[in-house]
Amino acid sequence: MSVKLNTKYLRSFVRPHELDGLAPLVAAAHQQVHQKSGLGNDFLGWVDLPFSYDKEEFARIKAAAEKIKNQSQALIVIGIGGSYLGARAAIEYIKSNNYNALKKDTPNIYFVGNTISPAYLNDILSLVDGVDFSVNVISKSGTTTEPALAFRVFKELLEQRYGVEGAKERIYATTDKARGTLKELSDKNGYETFVIPDDVGGRFSVLTAVGLLPMAVAGCDLEAVMAGAQDSAKAAEDPDLDKNDCYRYAAIRNLLYNKGYSVEVLAAYEPSFREMCEWFKQLYGESEGKDNKGLFPASVIFSTDLHSMGQYIQDGRRQLFETVIDLQQPKSDFFIKEDASNFDGLNFLAGQNMSSVNKMAMQGTILAHVKGGVPNVVLELEKMDDYSFGYLVYFFEKACAISGYLLGVNPFDQPGVEGYKNNMFALLGKPGYEELRAEIDKELAE
Amino acid sequence: MSVKLNTKYLRSFVRPHELDGLAPLVAAAHQQVHQKSGLGNDFLGWVDLPFSYDKEEFARIKAAAEKIKNQSQALIVIGIGGSYLGARAAIEYIKSNNYNALKKDTPNIYFVGNTISPAYLNDILSLVDGVDFSVNVISKSGTTTEPALAFRVFKELLEQRYGVEGAKERIYATTDKARGTLKELSDKNGYETFVIPDDVGGRFSVLTAVGLLPMAVAGCDLEAVMAGAQDSAKAAEDPDLDKNDCYRYAAIRNLLYNKGYSVEVLAAYEPSFREMCEWFKQLYGESEGKDNKGLFPASVIFSTDLHSMGQYIQDGRRQLFETVIDLQQPKSDFFIKEDASNFDGLNFLAGQNMSSVNKMAMQGTILAHVKGGVPNVVLELEKMDDYSFGYLVYFFEKACAISGYLLGVNPFDQPGVEGYKNNMFALLGKPGYEELRAEIDKELAE
């Protein structure tokens, strides 16, 4: 198992019978997922995805990645929310948070279309100046403002540089299988397309073409990723709470929330985990943050942030718990040598690997925070590689579904995301939004 | 004024008399800061810093930056917490979050010694392979584990590469003016040193040599930064709450906290603001998160994170408010052209600059979130340049001091940071920690 739950540091916060009390509710949540009987049951495609994914498309993804690697020194990935967070998290987790800067034989990956900042767009345009690049545009509809705007720009740039025919060889669209603006345009123009399945929501889509194509271009081992997801799915299938770490994690989140801990801080000790935290925040925030309920998801990278958020966690308002990623094998190591002069007094650390010091920082922090009144849930992560990425993703996805059902919400919709969009369209004068515009104008004039 | 407070979107959450009620308390907090009569009054050196800073050292900082730029293609900045967050925030805010990747005539800046991750250290070592570099080591004592470990490594590398004499010309120490391991070593070895003043805590130190040297190397205009801080200090000097946006921001944070909003989400619409948010989180989290009190500081970059945290903010548990950075002039712009085919239906956006769309996204989001029950405090920021950085930094620092005093805490200490450190030292077998080690062993064996 790549991920194991350690509940040792919860003993002073959770009594043994509490999980027993939740077992029947977890069983009910399990039924909702596996019998597709719960809220949002049109979006359960991710459950069997590690087994049922389209093998023909999988092969096409790998072939497209090879073509991109041969043709380009950069891949522009256009997408927002679930259409980029997973791939970015994967590349940093599996490769490095310094992926682009490091020497390598795979293209740089630039994520665009996830902001309306012109400064950011101009930066990326200057980074591909004189650089051969390809584009992977990821959008179910093709009309979401941020990615659609970016696609206009990079499509035009490709067509200017390589001609309309040449551009077709460099544009890959991940979109709806049959409908929508981007699908239509792709069919008309002859772009190769990959599918965002109808029954997999954005934040659950990293193991579809949405995540897999950029990951393959960055040199991730897709077979290993899917193998990890498969093993994770098998391990998380058992409805018996005692035997299912994934479900116990979900149950513990729920019971801590009900005790008044309303903020969950995901804590890892590797900078390359930072974007994984962002992926996690979307997954849980968007799945559970509704109907005026839900844990507020936050994250820290330690020991770095022990020197920024550490004081608050140790001693601030007692409203949070931590979920700590306890990495068992470091990605690489560094041996600490003796210094003859011991000018810094650090020789007590000499003769061991830096990863051991990192581990002791974690151990020391857990003990200190628990003493400070912060429940610590520990997830032991075997290593940070392709396999464990697939494993961890599925673990968090399944736990999120169970946790959402325990909270009584639909874990698979995101109705609140429309609010700002409608207002924005009205303010921008989009046809069809005239009434809302009149309302807003009145509101703003007050 | 570079920063103006807009309270228009608080009307449904805060009644007019509420600020009146806080005015006498704010006046008392003002006295504590300006008469140095409050808790932590040994650490008020930041208050007059924009005027009283050491001009001779300021000139030396600029000269050292020139020397570094001439000698090196990379600067390794070694520091943790307040010893790196400010400089990193400044460089991204003033230059770009893509600073290192972009073409430029200033060195790359790599921040190390802020983590115990060996993978991260190995990455940076590979990035300076064959690259001429200098080191700025920033530590009051010189014995903090993370930076001290990193300094050992990069000092040795410099000495191997350039000889002991050559290394001296490439090492700059920002440290205590008279005492401590790093000061002693620097004097012995002949490194140029800069001062971390005794009365300026780490999280308030960005306008000292701590922040200024890396900023100068990256090409920031230090005069403009200090001019911004000066104007900000003058604007925030008036004890009259009605005339002091900085104090009103502090008061509003306090009254929202007292109404049950216990999470503050700082929201900006520029990716280059991301590390500024991290600086903000340290400033407020470490200053206020104590005695089991304080707002939990979090942050988002919109519209990006509207597609991850947006659902939660719109419709999750009602425990948060937002502080929104409303940028008045974009760093750069991008004109949206008409597309003849209008394949994506985006022509309703054509004929205007992208910054206008970004602005409408902000406007639409504020209205939607307010309707969803989220108080929105708006800070209008004139632009993102050197001057406004200094202005904003001082604004947040002064507001933080006032806010901390309103909460009844010492805004300038951080006793909770020691907990994990002591445990870690004990676990690592540091001499002098034998008793604590025995306690921990007992605890872990249970």
Side-chain angles (χ1 to χ4, degrees):
Chain A
M1 285 205 293
S2 268
V3 180
K4 275 175 65 179
L5 177 70
N6 173 356
T7 59
K8 181 173 175 180
Y9 304 101
L10 287 169
R11 284 181 302 192
S12 49
F13 304 98
V14 179
R15 298 182 190 94
H17 71 258
E18 293 188 62
L19 278 173
D20 298 342
L22 277 172
L25 306 177
V26 170
H30 170 87
Q31 298 285 11
Q32 288 181 81
V33 172
H34 284 276
Q35 301 188 354
K36 305 198 178 208
S37 59
L39 294 170
N41 55 19
D42 284 348
F43 290 92
L44 287 164
W46 57 271
V47 176
D48 292 320
L49 188 72
F51 306 99
S52 66
Y53 67 91
D54 181 338
K55 311 299 182 296
E56 179 273 333
E57 185 187 55
F58 194 78
R60 275 203 302 120
I61 289 170
K62 289 192 289 182
E66 286 309 309
K67 189 173 153 198
I68 292 168
K69 284 193 252 184
N70 289 332
Q71 276 188 328
S72 296
Q73 291 102 52
L75 174 68
I76 301 285
V77 178
I78 301 176
I80 194 165
S83 294
Y84 87 102
L85 284 165
R88 193 180 62 176
I91 292 164
E92 298 210 356
Y93 176 105
I94 295 171
K95 300 298 177 183
S96 164
N97 61 320
N98 290 300
Y99 171 80
N100 273 352
L102 291 171
K103 285 195 194 80
K104 59 195 173 293
D105 55 7
T106 49
N108 281 341
I109 313 272
Y110 299 116
F111 293 95
V112 306
N114 56 58
T115 169
I116 319 177
S117 160
Y120 183 81
L121 176 63
N122 288 328
D123 273 4
I124 306 299
L125 285 170
S126 82
L127 290 174
V128 294
D129 187 30
V131 171
D132 280 315
F133 71 95
S134 298
V135 164
N136 179 204
V137 53
I138 306 169
S139 176
K140 185 85 173 160
S141 66
T143 59
T144 303
T145 309
E146 292 87 344
L149 257 179
F151 184 53
R152 267 200 179 190
V153 174
F154 286 95
K155 172 175 173 284
E156 188 186 18
L157 185 58
L158 281 178
E159 290 177 348
Q160 281 169 358
R161 225 192 259 183
Y162 305 100
V164 173
E165 285 308 309
K168 289 178 189 177
E169 297 300 313
R170 291 173 176 275
I171 296 176
Y172 301 83
T174 305
T175 187
D176 191 87
K177 70 173 186 299
R179 278 184 306 267
T181 293
L182 182 55
K183 176 62 179 168
E184 283 163 30
L185 183 80
S186 300
D187 287 349
K188 190 178 133 221
N189 286 2
Y191 307 149
E192 179 158 14
T193 61
F194 301 97
V195 173
I196 305 178
D198 285 333
D199 56 358
V200 179
R203 59 189 176 273
F204 288 83
S205 71
V206 56
L207 302 179
T208 72
V210 170
L212 295 178
L213 180 55
M215 287 162 67
V217 173
C220 300
D221 177 349
L222 301 192
E223 265 84 7
V225 169
M226 297 310 281
Q230 285 167 10
D231 288 348
S232 188
K234 285 180 214 153
E237 223 167 39
D238 196 327
D240 182 350
L241 195 51
D242 285 341
K243 294 181 187 143
N244 191 324
D245 279 1
C246 173
Y247 287 10
R248 278 198 301 148
Y249 171 57
I252 286 164
R253 295 179 81 253
N254 183 266
L255 69 85
L256 290 173
Y257 180 75
N258 284 334
K259 284 174 196 278
Y261 300 100
S262 58
V263 175
E264 176 178 18
V265 180
L266 183 64
Y269 284 74
E270 284 294 335
S272 287
F273 205 91
R274 185 175 178 180
E275 300 305 330
M276 192 74 191
C277 291
E278 295 302 312
W279 173 83
F280 171 93
K281 282 157 66 176
Q282 184 198 19
L283 180 64
Y284 281 86
E286 219 168 55
S287 297
E288 296 194 311
K290 53 195 64 161
D291 305 334
N292 298 354
K293 296 192 279 193
L295 284 161
F296 181 86
S299 65
V300 287
I301 298 297
F302 288 158
S303 66
T304 308
D305 295 335
L306 286 168
H307 295 253
S308 59
M309 291 295 292
Q311 167 66 37
Y312 190 100
I313 296 171
Q314 182 69 50
D315 198 29
R317 188 178 160 95
R318 305 296 69 184
Q319 60 183 334
L320 55 87
F321 72 91
E322 285 173 292
T323 295
V324 180
I325 303 294
D326 174 8
L327 183 63
Q328 309 290 300
Q329 289 174 40
K331 293 187 83 164
S332 69
D333 224 323
F334 189 92
F335 183 74
I336 303 170
K337 289 186 296 191
E338 189 101 0
D339 182 280
S341 75
N342 195 25
F343 66 91
D344 48 15
L346 282 190
N347 272 355
F348 75 97
L349 297 177
Q352 64 185 328
N353 283 322
M354 203 166 158
S355 65
S356 305
V357 181
N358 207 15
K359 188 91 174 180
M360 289 304 109
M362 184 202 73
Q363 182 67 75
T365 303
I366 291 173
L367 292 171
H369 289 181
V370 165
K371 193 168 279 183
V374 181
N376 267 240
V377 184
V378 176
L379 295 176
E380 296 171 359
L381 177 65
E382 198 181 1
K383 41 178 142 169
M384 281 173 71
D385 63 2
D386 315 76
Y387 175 89
S388 80
F389 178 79
Y391 198 107
L392 186 60
V393 156
Y394 193 92
F395 180 94
F396 277 137
E397 287 180 351
K398 187 92 185 271
C400 183
I402 298 297
S403 186
Y405 281 140
L406 289 176
L407 194 63
V409 300
N410 177 348
F412 307 114
D413 66 356
Q414 52 284 330
V417 179
E418 298 309 309
Y420 99 90
K421 283 192 203 170
N422 291 333
N423 288 345
M424 177 176 78
F425 290 146
L427 286 161
L428 289 165
K430 189 175 183 177
Y433 289 80
E434 293 77 7
E435 253 181 73
L436 182 57
R437 173 60 182 265
E439 268 176 54
I440 289 174
D441 284 346
K442 218 180 117 201
E443 222 172 301
L444 287 174
E446 267 168 24
Chain B
M1 286 205 294
S2 267
V3 180
K4 276 175 66 179
L5 176 71
N6 174 356
T7 59
K8 183 174 176 178
Y9 304 102
L10 286 170
R11 286 181 302 193
S12 48
F13 303 97
V14 179
R15 298 182 191 96
H17 70 260
E18 294 187 63
L19 278 173
D20 298 340
L22 277 173
L25 306 177
V26 170
H30 170 87
Q31 299 285 14
Q32 288 181 80
V33 172
H34 284 277
Q35 302 189 353
K36 305 199 179 208
S37 59
L39 294 171
N41 54 18
D42 285 347
F43 290 94
L44 286 164
W46 58 270
V47 177
D48 291 320
L49 188 71
F51 306 99
S52 66
Y53 66 92
D54 182 338
K55 311 299 182 297
E56 180 273 333
E57 184 186 56
F58 194 77
R60 276 203 301 119
I61 290 171
K62 289 192 289 183
E66 285 311 307
K67 189 173 154 198
I68 292 168
K69 283 194 253 184
N70 289 330
Q71 277 189 327
S72 294
Q73 291 103 53
L75 174 67
I76 300 287
V77 179
I78 301 176
I80 194 164
S83 294
Y84 87 102
L85 284 164
R88 193 180 64 178
I91 292 165
E92 297 210 357
Y93 176 104
I94 295 171
K95 299 298 177 182
S96 163
N97 61 320
N98 291 299
Y99 171 80
N100 272 352
L102 292 170
K103 284 193 194 81
K104 60 194 173 293
D105 54 8
T106 49
N108 281 340
I109 312 272
Y110 300 116
F111 293 95
V112 306
N114 57 58
T115 169
I116 320 177
S117 160
Y120 183 80
L121 176 64
N122 288 328
D123 273 4
I124 305 300
L125 284 170
S126 83
L127 290 174
V128 294
D129 188 29
V131 171
D132 279 315
F133 72 94
S134 300
V135 164
N136 179 202
V137 54
I138 306 170
S139 177
K140 185 84 172 158
S141 65
T143 58
T144 304
T145 310
E146 293 87 344
L149 256 180
F151 183 53
R152 266 199 180 192
V153 173
F154 286 96
K155 173 175 171 284
E156 186 184 21
L157 185 58
L158 281 178
E159 289 176 348
Q160 281 169 358
R161 226 192 260 181
Y162 305 101
V164 173
E165 286 306 309
K168 290 178 188 177
E169 297 300 312
R170 293 173 175 275
I171 296 177
Y172 301 83
T174 305
T175 186
D176 190 87
K177 69 173 185 302
R179 277 185 305 266
T181 293
L182 182 56
K183 177 62 180 167
E184 283 162 32
L185 184 79
S186 300
D187 288 348
K188 190 177 132 217
N189 286 2
Y191 307 150
E192 180 161 12
T193 60
F194 301 97
V195 173
I196 306 178
D198 285 333
D199 55 357
V200 179
R203 59 188 177 274
F204 289 84
S205 71
V206 57
L207 301 179
T208 71
V210 170
L212 295 178
L213 180 55
M215 287 162 68
V217 173
C220 300
D221 178 349
L222 301 193
E223 265 85 7
V225 169
M226 296 310 281
Q230 285 168 9
D231 288 349
S232 188
K234 286 179 212 153
E237 223 165 37
D238 198 327
D240 182 349
L241 194 52
D242 284 341
K243 293 179 189 145
N244 191 325
D245 279 3
C246 173
Y247 287 11
R248 279 199 299 149
Y249 170 58
I252 287 164
R253 296 178 82 253
N254 183 265
L255 69 84
L256 291 172
Y257 179 75
N258 283 334
K259 284 174 195 277
Y261 301 101
S262 59
V263 175
E264 176 177 20
V265 181
L266 182 65
Y269 284 75
E270 285 295 336
S272 287
F273 205 91
R274 185 174 178 182
E275 300 305 331
M276 192 73 192
C277 292
E278 295 302 312
W279 173 83
F280 171 93
K281 282 157 65 177
Q282 183 198 18
L283 180 62
Y284 282 85
E286 219 168 56
S287 297
E288 296 194 311
K290 54 195 65 162
D291 304 334
N292 297 354
K293 295 193 279 194
L295 284 161
F296 181 86
S299 65
V300 288
I301 297 298
F302 289 157
S303 66
T304 308
D305 294 335
L306 286 168
H307 294 254
S308 58
M309 290 296 292
Q311 167 66 37
Y312 190 101
I313 296 171
Q314 183 69 50
D315 199 29
R317 187 179 162 95
R318 305 296 69 184
Q319 60 183 336
L320 56 88
F321 73 91
E322 285 172 292
T323 295
V324 180
I325 303 294
D326 174 7
L327 182 63
Q328 308 289 300
Q329 289 174 38
K331 293 188 83 162
S332 69
D333 223 325
F334 189 92
F335 183 74
I336 303 171
K337 288 185 298 192
E338 189 101 2
D339 181 283
S341 75
N342 195 23
F343 67 91
D344 47 17
L346 282 190
N347 272 354
F348 75 99
L349 297 178
Q352 65 186 327
N353 283 322
M354 202 166 160
S355 65
S356 306
V357 181
N358 205 16
K359 187 92 175 178
M360 291 303 109
M362 183 202 72
Q363 182 67 76
T365 302
I366 291 173
L367 292 171
H369 289 181
V370 165
K371 195 168 278 181
V374 181
N376 266 238
V377 184
V378 176
L379 295 176
E380 296 171 359
L381 178 65
E382 197 181 0
K383 41 179 142 169
M384 280 172 72
D385 63 1
D386 315 75
Y387 175 88
S388 80
F389 178 78
Y391 199 106
L392 187 59
V393 157
Y394 194 92
F395 181 94
F396 277 137
E397 288 179 351
K398 187 90 186 271
C400 182
I402 298 296
S403 187
Y405 282 139
L406 289 175
L407 194 63
V409 301
N410 176 349
F412 307 113
D413 67 354
Q414 52 283 329
V417 179
E418 299 309 308
Y420 98 89
K421 282 191 204 171
N422 292 333
N423 288 344
M424 177 176 78
F425 290 146
L427 286 161
L428 288 165
K430 190 175 182 178
Y433 289 80
E434 293 77 7
E435 253 183 71
L436 183 56
R437 173 60 181 265
E439 269 176 52
I440 288 174
D441 283 347
K442 216 180 118 199
E443 223 173 300
L444 287 173
E446 266 169 24

